[in-house]
């Protein structure tokens, strides 16, 4: 017979094993992608799939061969960082003003901003596409940057707002008493105090822009196409490129995966618009 | 309660500050209003311009292949869109997709986050592994599943089926919609886990302990304490997922292309194919407006839940 204590620790151990099992199962596709990226194309297509093989770095060194990987990666970098920087320049002042100079309309404004996020992209795909065509912005990095800025702006304002809200007003009042200007107040007092929060706002914006697929598939062709579009091009059945597909995918996903791991806790706030903390 | 004390504090400080820096504060308040306006203006443009264009296009005949024939046709486009063969399929598939993914992610999300909330060895790593799929880009998700896992010849699933002596399944041709539901759930389950896991950490442990001492069983604890605590995060998960899943596109685009037939065509894909493959702008715009109305129904509830949290926590 087991004592109560023994039974408890047995349950804990079993639950731990179960949790590990579930986690490994959910992570398996990513693990398999990583593994396949080190196979030759022949190993990648072998039946049954091979767990043990002679690893090769060939796919990574040849990553540029089938398609100009760095061209697409650079587009992703420019568009993600571009939209994040513009977004922060717009979001920080807006969130500052709403957090510290609240008016009767602030709450309504915030909720309205959130509601723009709910406009389904297909509802405005046609006009945006035609506008872009007329303005010659189809397949340009500028066009995509503008779209990404606009779709992420509400989330960034919300996130910055919830972080600013946690800073006691008195601190800013004190700075004001010392006669600092508005810019000094934001730059020297507010930003250093909310570094962590703003950093995760930046990360969330980068993650969302990097992984965005609807607009990048519809508005770009080759010039400005980011990695999401490059990878979609592997879906055409023009040969077996699975090991290379895996290598390209691994390269495309690794930075974002690491960003996500680092900032998982703070991301919850942004992803839930502050409703879960 | 908390709201009141905070507000009172804010009023007091601004009053205290008033005699010395009143003028400066007022000036800053005015300036700060200017600081919101660029964002408000841009978002207003982003919302109003394309949406009014969509409404306009939906009321005229507008096909890019027949330029110049743009007469007003009233609700004809809506009539055509709704009676199109693809529409019923698109609506059914959209609802099936959204409904199934929601059900799967919420149910398993609650179960897994409860499991992970227990103390065991390697908790941190397990959490990191669990949330990872959420950060994988949708096109990678689709192609990895299609080519490496679900492929009928060399996929991992085919190998498992063969190991048990069963005939491997060609998932995307035999069960196309189910396959899409599966890969989308894989992507969104981590989102539910991430939010619910975080919410569980703020669960009142003392209350749990007290209830346990009063003789409440695990089921009663879950039903009366844990689940009510998770009600709001679950509502948030449901509504945010609904908004994203209503416009699900990349996963379908890269795997099945809406087929076979209309079997995996959802509303978003139908509108895309009408606009950019058949060049019928009028028809696609009518479809776009229908999608907007659907999303608004979900958005209405989300705004209420989030709005509530605004008043409660600050």
């Amino acid at each position: 017979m087991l004592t109560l204590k023994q039974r408890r620790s047995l349950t804990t151990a079993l639950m731990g094993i179960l949790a590990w099992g579930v986690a490994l199962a959910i992570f398996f596709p990513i693990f398999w992608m990583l593994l396949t990226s080190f196979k030759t194309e022949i190993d990648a297509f072998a039946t049954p799939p091979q767990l043990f093989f002679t690893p090769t770095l060939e796919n990574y060194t040849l990553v540029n061969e089938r398609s100009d990987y760095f061209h697409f990666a650079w587009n992703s970098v420019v568009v993600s960082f571009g939209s994040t920087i513009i977004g922060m320049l717009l979001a920080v002042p807006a969130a500052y003003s709403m957090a510290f100079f609240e008016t009767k309309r602030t709450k309504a404004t915030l909720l309205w901003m959130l509601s723009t996020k709910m406009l389904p992209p297909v509802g405005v795909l046609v006009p945006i596409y035609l506008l872009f065509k007329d303005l010659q912005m189809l397949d340009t990095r500028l066009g995509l940057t503008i779209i990404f800025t606009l779709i992420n702006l509400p989330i960034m304002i919300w996130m910055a707002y919830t972080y600013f809200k946690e800073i006691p007003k008195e601190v800013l009042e004190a700075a004001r008493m010392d006669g600092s200007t508005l810019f000094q107040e934001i730059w020297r007092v507010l930003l250093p105090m909310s570094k962590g929060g703003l950093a995760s706002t930046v990360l969330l914006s980068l993650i969302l822009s990097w992984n965005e697929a609807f607009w990048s598939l519809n508005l770009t062709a080759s010039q400005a196409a980011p990695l999401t579009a490059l990878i979609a091009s592997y879906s055409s059945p023009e040969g077996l490129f699975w090991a290379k597909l895996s290598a390209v995918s691994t390269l495309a996903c690794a930075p974002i995966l690491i960003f996500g791991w680092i900032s998982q806790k703070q991301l919850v706030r942004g992803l839930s618009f502050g409703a879960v903390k | 309660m908390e709201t009141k004390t905070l507000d009172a504090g804010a009023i007091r400080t601004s009053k205290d500050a008033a005699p010395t820096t009143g003028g400066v504060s007022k000036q800053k308040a005015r300036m700060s209003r200017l600081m919101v306006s660029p964002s408000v203006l841009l978002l207003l443009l982003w919302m109003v311009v394309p949406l009014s264009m969509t409404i306009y296009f939906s009321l005229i005949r507008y096909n890019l292949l027949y330029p110049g024939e743009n007469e007003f046709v009233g609700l004809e486009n809506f009539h055509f869109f709704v009676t199109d063969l693809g529409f019923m399929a698109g609506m059914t598939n959209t609802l099936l997709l959204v409904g199934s993914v929601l059900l799967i992610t919420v149910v398993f999300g609650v179960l897994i986050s409860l499991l992970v909330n227990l103390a065991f060895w390697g908790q941190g790593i397990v959490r990191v592994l669990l949330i990872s799929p959420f950060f994988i880009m949708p096109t990678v998700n689709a192609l990895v599943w299609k080519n490496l896992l679900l492929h009928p010849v060399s996929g991992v699933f085919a190998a498992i089926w063969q190991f048990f002596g069963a005939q491997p399944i060609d998932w995307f041709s035999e069960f196309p919609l189910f396959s899409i539901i599966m890969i989308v759930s894989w992507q969104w389950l981590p989102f539910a886990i991430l939010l619910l896991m975080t919410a569980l950490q703020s669960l009142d442990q003392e209350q749990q302990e007290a209830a346990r001492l009063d003789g409440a069983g695990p089921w009663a604890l879950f039903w009366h304490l844990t689940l009510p605590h998770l009600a709001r995060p679950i509502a948030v998960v449901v509504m945010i997922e609904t908004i994203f899943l209503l416009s699900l596109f990349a996963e379908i685009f890269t795997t099945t292309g809406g087929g076979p037939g209309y079997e995996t065509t959802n509303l978003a894909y139908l509108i895309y194919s009408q606009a950019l493959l058949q060049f019928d702008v009028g028809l696609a715009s009518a479809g776009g407006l229908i999608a907007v109305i659907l999303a608004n129904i979900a958005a209405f509830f989300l705004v209420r839940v989030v709005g509530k949290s605004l008043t409660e926590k600050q």
Side-chain angles (χ1 to χ4, degrees), chain A:
Chain A
M1 277 299 270
L2 294 168
T3 65
L4 193 67
K5 209 176 165 190
Q6 275 171 325
R7 225 163 57 198
R8 267 217 184 136
S9 59
L10 187 68
T11 320
T12 314
L14 283 177
M15 287 301 179
I17 292 168
L18 185 61
W20 267 97
V22 171
L24 290 175
I26 287 185
F27 191 75
F28 178 79
I30 301 174
F31 166 76
W32 195 251
M33 170 181 86
L34 184 70
L35 205 68
T36 309
S37 75
F38 293 111
K39 292 179 178 175
T40 60
E41 293 294 354
I42 294 159
D43 279 341
F45 196 71
T47 353
Q50 308 198 313
L51 196 54
F52 302 101
F53 55 92
T54 334
T56 167
L57 278 174
E58 184 185 70
N59 298 309
Y60 287 94
T61 54
L62 291 179
V63 94
N64 239 350
E65 191 190 63
R66 182 183 179 271
S67 46
D68 192 358
Y69 174 82
F70 292 105
H71 168 73
F72 295 93
W74 178 241
N75 284 340
S76 275
V77 169
V78 170
V79 171
S80 308
F81 280 85
S83 65
T84 301
I85 292 168
I86 303 171
M88 284 306 271
L89 289 176
L90 288 165
V92 168
Y96 162 80
S97 132
M98 285 197 281
F100 296 109
F101 299 94
E102 203 162 329
T103 65
K104 270 173 283 173
R105 275 172 310 171
T106 300
K107 204 164 288 164
T109 312
L110 273 169
L111 287 176
W112 171 76
M113 286 178 167
L114 170 70
S115 72
T116 67
K117 185 72 200 140
M118 296 172 189
L119 192 65
V122 281
V124 293
L125 168 67
V126 177
I128 293 290
Y129 187 87
L130 294 175
L131 276 176
F132 269 41
K133 210 174 88 181
D134 288 342
L135 297 169
Q136 311 219 311
M137 288 219 289
L138 275 182
D139 203 14
T140 62
R141 289 195 289 247
L142 177 68
L144 212 53
T145 309
I146 293 172
I147 296 284
F148 285 4
T149 307
L150 287 168
I151 59 176
N152 290 335
L153 188 59
I155 298 187
M156 294 169 83
I157 294 178
W158 266 80
M159 232 171 140
Y161 171 82
T162 61
Y163 285 113
F164 288 168
K165 263 293 182 194
E166 282 168 11
I167 296 173
K169 277 189 174 144
E170 288 77 3
V171 178
L172 293 186
E173 300 278 351
R176 218 164 289 160
M177 299 271 223
D178 295 341
S180 65
T181 64
L182 192 68
F183 177 76
Q184 284 172 327
E185 191 182 309
I186 293 180
W187 191 254
R188 298 222 186 115
V189 185
L190 186 64
L191 292 189
M193 285 189 78
S194 48
K195 261 189 310 215
L198 292 179
S200 43
T201 310
V202 166
L203 282 183
L204 181 64
S205 167
L206 287 175
I207 293 171
L208 292 176
S209 312
W210 191 271
N211 286 348
E212 204 288 330
F214 180 81
W215 291 107
S216 43
L217 285 173
N218 280 313
L219 297 181
T220 65
S222 59
Q223 278 303 308
L227 288 170
T228 40
L230 166 71
I231 285 155
S233 77
Y234 276 83
S235 67
S236 54
E238 48 177 281
L240 301 176
F241 289 110
W242 297 347
K244 282 191 192 66
L245 163 71
S246 301
V248 169
S249 300
T250 305
L251 285 177
C253 291
I256 293 306
L257 202 52
I258 293 165
F259 282 176
W261 288 341
I262 297 170
S263 52
Q264 46 163 316
K265 256 230 167 95
Q266 291 88 324
L267 290 184
V268 172
R269 194 193 300 230
L271 291 168
S272 69
F273 291 98
V276 179
K277 282 182 190 171

Side-chain angles (χ1 to χ4, degrees), chain B residues 139-156:
Chain B
T139 46
V140 167
N141 166 19
L143 288 185
V144 164
W145 275 90
K146 187 185 178 187
N147 294 333
L148 303 182
L149 300 169
L150 297 182
H151 194 276
V153 178
S154 65
V156 174

Side-chain angles (χ1 to χ4, degrees), chain B residues 69 78 99 158:
Chain B
E69 296 174 28
F78 289 91

